[in-house]
């Protein structure tokens, strides 16, 4: 049996974090979830509150936190464009100061620390599909920069703490992920399309819908994140985690209509500034080093996600709190 550990998950009440907490609690670990609930709500982890090995802290990761832990998963950061652009300065602070705070804790506790980075470090890529060696094409002064550059700076901090202080770090670059517990109002394409299709509202395609994304189901990504934390100590990454199945946004809209049985029409809206034209992970490294690859095809994962959207009361969800 694997040894039980004290584990901190920052952003642990979020879409990915809450599922990660569930997996770690089920494995018997002593789990601390720290979150400021900017883009999530307590209901995501309410079912874990009566577990002896789960603890919930309301904490903003831009502030130092003093805990004794063996492992840290650093997920705290708004992830959807509408959320991270809501207060871009705060987003950059969360990535950079959050990284410094968790790295300081890891250094003091000799803990392993994993950074949830993103395919956004590749910007609007000129190389396709994107391997980890590709250095990216990010506009440093555009509206997405607060997120992209924050995540890039966090990767830099992780590698410098590793090289200069011997901290045991891990970096995963997560590509577009979807699944149950996505925030219905996060503005991301999967949640928007499902919500619109179920309500019979027009499905908003930004631009022509020819741009592509590669969508990975939540459980596959969380499995990859845990495998990366448990990987050999000589492997810090970064490693891509994503599903190589690539779809145009229009194809996603059509599949959502088919699976929901909706009669919604497709409408075109302006393409946001710096919206990447295409994105697909090269997962050769994850296959080789982690023995990981996604298992859930889009059609199946989307059907499960639609079932979840049907099961919740959308009115119970609120837009991000303007609490800064
Ligand atoms: P999410 O918004 O559901 O989760 C982020 C969590 O962090 C939320 O619970 C939020 O309240 C919390 N948070 C935000 N700022 C905070 C702060 N200053 N202090 C403490 N908590 C804070 O998003 P998610 O999709 O679950 O993403 C989790 C992580 O994975 C993020 O770091 C994100 O950048 C990364 N990621 C996600 C995707 C994806 O497609 N979902 C893709 C790439 C990277
Ligand atoms: N998009 C869309 N309609 C929407 C929301 C998003 O066409 O209602 C597009 C968006 O312009 C982008 C893609 O879908 O090209 C993915 O957007 P999302 O915000 O989910 O993620 P990201 O752009 O960060 O990959």
């Amino acid at each position: 049996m694997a040894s039980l550990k004290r584990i901190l998950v920052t952003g642990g009440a979020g879409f990915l974090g809450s599922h990660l907490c569930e997996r770690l609690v089920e494995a018997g670990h002593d789990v601390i979830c720290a979150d400021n609930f900017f883009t999530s709500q307590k209901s995501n982890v309410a079912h874990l509150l009566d577990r002896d090995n789960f603890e919930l802290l309301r904490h903003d990761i831009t502030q130092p936190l003093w805990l004794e832990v063996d492992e840290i998963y650093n997920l705290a950061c708004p992830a959807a464009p509408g959320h991270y652009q809501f207060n871009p300065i705060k987003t950059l602070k969360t990535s950079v100061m959050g990284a410094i705070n968790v790295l300081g804790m890891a250094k003091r506790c000799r803990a392993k620390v994993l950074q949830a980075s993103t395919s956004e470090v590749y910007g609007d890529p000129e190389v396709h599909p994107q391997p980890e060696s590709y250095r990216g094409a990010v506009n440093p002064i555009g509206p997405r920069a607060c997120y992209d550059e924050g995540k890039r700076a966090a990767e830099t901090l992780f590698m410098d703490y590793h090289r200069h202080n011997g901290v045991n770090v891990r970096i995963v670059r997560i590509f577009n992920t979807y699944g149950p517990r996505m925030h219905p109002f996060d503005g991301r394409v999967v949640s928007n399309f499902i919500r619109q299709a179920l309500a019979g509202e027009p499905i908003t395609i930004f631009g022509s819908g020819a741009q592509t994304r590669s969508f990975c189901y939540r459980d596959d990504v969380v499995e990859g994140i845990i495998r990366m934390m448990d990987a050999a100590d000589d492997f810090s990454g970064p490693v891509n985690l994503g599903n190589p199945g690539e779809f145009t946004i229009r194809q996603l809209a059509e599949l959502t209509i088919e699976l929901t049985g909706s009669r919604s029409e497709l409408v075109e809206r302006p393409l946001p500034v710096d919206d990447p034209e295409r994105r697909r992970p090269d997962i050769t490294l994850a296959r080789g080093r982690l023995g990981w690859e996604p298992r859930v095809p889009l059609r199946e994962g989307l059907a499960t996600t639609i079932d979840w959207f049907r099961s919740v009361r959308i009115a119970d969800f609120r837009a991000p709190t303007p609490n800064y």
Side-chain angles (χ1 to χ4, degrees), residues 17-316:
S18 60
H19 188 58
L20 177 61
C21 285
E22 263 167 16
R23 288 274 315 258
L24 298 172
V25 165
E26 284 311 321
H29 297 297
D30 185 350
V31 178
I32 304 169
C33 163
D35 206 298
N36 70 349
F37 301 107
F38 172 46
T39 57
S40 59
Q41 37 203 46
K42 276 179 274 187
S43 56
N44 281 351
V45 286
H47 60 295
L48 296 174
L49 287 174
D50 60 359
R51 300 290 292 257
D52 292 343
N53 57 339
F54 181 77
E55 192 179 346
L56 178 60
L57 298 180
R58 180 181 286 268
H59 181 80
D60 191 309
I61 203 59
T62 59
Q63 305 297 319
L65 178 62
W66 195 275
L67 297 169
E68 272 65 45
V69 291
D70 304 305
E71 291 181 352
I72 305 165
Y73 291 86
N74 188 37
L75 272 63
C77 187
H83 285 171
Y84 67 65
Q85 289 169 19
F86 177 81
N87 184 342
I89 297 165
K90 174 72 185 194
T91 299
L92 199 49
K93 283 184 185 171
T94 295
S95 276
V96 173
M97 292 160 73
I100 291 170
N101 287 330
V102 296
L103 285 161
M105 186 189 300
K107 182 179 165 193
R108 176 176 56 79
C109 299
R110 296 196 175 80
K112 243 193 275 185
V113 56
L114 177 144
Q115 169 66 2
S117 191
T118 169
S119 54
E120 285 283 325
V121 300
Y122 303 124
D124 191 2
E126 305 115 326
V127 171
H128 195 74
Q130 295 82 53
E132 291 82 354
S133 55
Y134 176 52
R135 293 182 186 176
V138 172
N139 173 6
I141 56 169
R144 298 174 84 100
C146 60
Y147 183 69
D148 301 10
E149 298 291 10
K151 290 286 188 179
R152 287 170 69 97
E155 287 199 13
T156 307
L157 283 161
F158 267 67
M159 292 314 296
D160 283 337
Y161 269 77
H162 176 57
R163 283 187 290 258
H164 286 261
N165 296 309
V167 176
N168 190 341
V169 304
R170 313 290 154 114
I171 300 171
V172 292
R173 292 182 178 157
I174 303 167
F175 284 63
N176 296 65
T177 305
Y178 69 97
R181 270 192 225 138
M182 294 188 84
H183 196 300
F185 295 105
D186 66 7
R188 284 190 260 204
V189 69
V190 173
S191 35
N192 267 9
F193 284 5
I194 296 178
R195 199 171 35 76
Q196 291 163 343
L198 292 180
E201 290 168 4
I203 298 209
T204 52
I205 295 195
F206 297 168
S208 69
Q211 70 271 35
T212 68
R213 293 294 186 273
S214 302
F215 300 100
C216 195
Y217 188 61
R218 173 198 73 175
D219 298 29
D220 283 334
V221 163
V222 168
E223 174 64 27
I225 290 174
I226 293 173
R227 283 195 194 199
M228 183 55 176
M229 182 63 102
D230 294 343
D233 279 345
D234 67 345
F235 186 47
S236 294
V239 64
N240 288 338
L241 294 179
N243 192 323
E246 185 180 357
F247 296 84
T248 66
I249 294 306
R250 191 169 286 276
Q251 284 174 322
L252 178 74
E254 285 161 357
L255 185 59
T256 308
I257 287 185
E258 181 196 324
L259 295 176
T260 52
S262 170
R263 301 170 74 150
S264 291
E265 52 167 353
L266 306 185
V267 294
E268 289 187 14
R269 294 280 177 268
L271 189 68
V273 175
D274 292 339
D275 199 277
E277 215 175 292
R278 53 193 191 155
R279 184 183 284 156
R280 171 152 62 103
D282 177 334
I283 60 164
T284 311
L285 189 62
R287 280 199 179 103
R289 293 298 309 245
L290 308 178
W292 176 89
E293 62 182 358
R295 292 169 177 275
V296 182
L298 181 60
R299 174 175 283 276
E300 184 185 324
L302 206 54
T304 311
T305 310
I306 290 167
D307 286 346
W308 180 79
F309 270 77
R310 285 191 204 276
S311 75
V312 296
R313 266 178 25 117
I314 300 288
D316 289 346

